[in-house]
Amino acid sequence: MATTAPRTDDELDRIGSAEELEVASRLRDGELGGWRTIWVVRVDGDIYVRSVNGPASAWFRATRARHEGRIEAGGVEKDVAFEDVDGEIDDTVDAAYRTKYGRCSAHTIQRITSSTAGSTTMRLLPRRPPREKAHVHRRRPRRRIARRAPRADHGRAP
């Protein structure tokens, strides 16, 4: 299990007040996948995201591999863990989305606060950056030299 990194109130404010958040999931091989732009809200001392397109969204499906990734919002870039949230916070997160993005179309607000989108709600938890993979020096395989059959005369004149 990864240890969490400290997160300051300033970082929470900057991430939570950002209009959009860039997110990249950590893939099975430990590398970061592609970056996606999504909406983000802050509720009390936590940051939440969800997929407007529900669980079928490519970026959301990518979070399922390791539940880890990296975000950038409000000038803050952090390694995070994606923690699935049960429905108990959905109404509060819905209200935060309506308040923050209420100027957007009613259709878009309806989609981001739908039960389909709500089923993808995740809390972002800070993580320490993963350790870089140690470079393993691999020995070059020995080159096999085809042996020639010895010449009977060894190249000598009689």
Side-chain angles (χ1 to χ4, degrees), residues 14-92:
R14 290 166 54 197
I15 295 168
S17 64
E19 189 68 19
E20 296 174 323
L21 175 137
E22 298 289 324
V23 61
S25 298
R26 200 156 295 283
L27 305 175
R28 283 182 173 83
D29 65 3
E31 298 297 318
L32 285 176
W35 289 87
R36 299 294 173 119
T37 303
I38 60 173
W39 284 356
V40 57
V41 294
R42 180 178 178 184
V43 175
D44 299 323
D46 291 312
I47 301 295
Y48 295 90
V49 297
R50 56 172 56 158
S51 171
V52 70
N53 295 316
S57 172
W59 79 264
F60 178 78
R61 286 192 328 266
T63 67
R64 310 292 82 198
R66 292 180 54 144
H67 293 269
E68 299 173 10
R70 191 160 185 80
I71 62 161
E72 193 283 318
V76 176
E77 192 167 339
K78 282 284 202 194
D79 285 288
V80 297
F82 302 109
E83 180 184 66
D84 294 333
V85 177
D86 293 331
E88 82 278 351
I89 190 95
D90 278 351
D91 291 341
T92 308

Side-chain angles (χ1 to χ4, degrees), residues 98-109:
R98 285 188 190 99
T99 300
K100 184 172 181 178
Y101 298 104
R103 70 191 179 297
C104 296
S105 74
H107 175 72
T108 303
I109 297 303

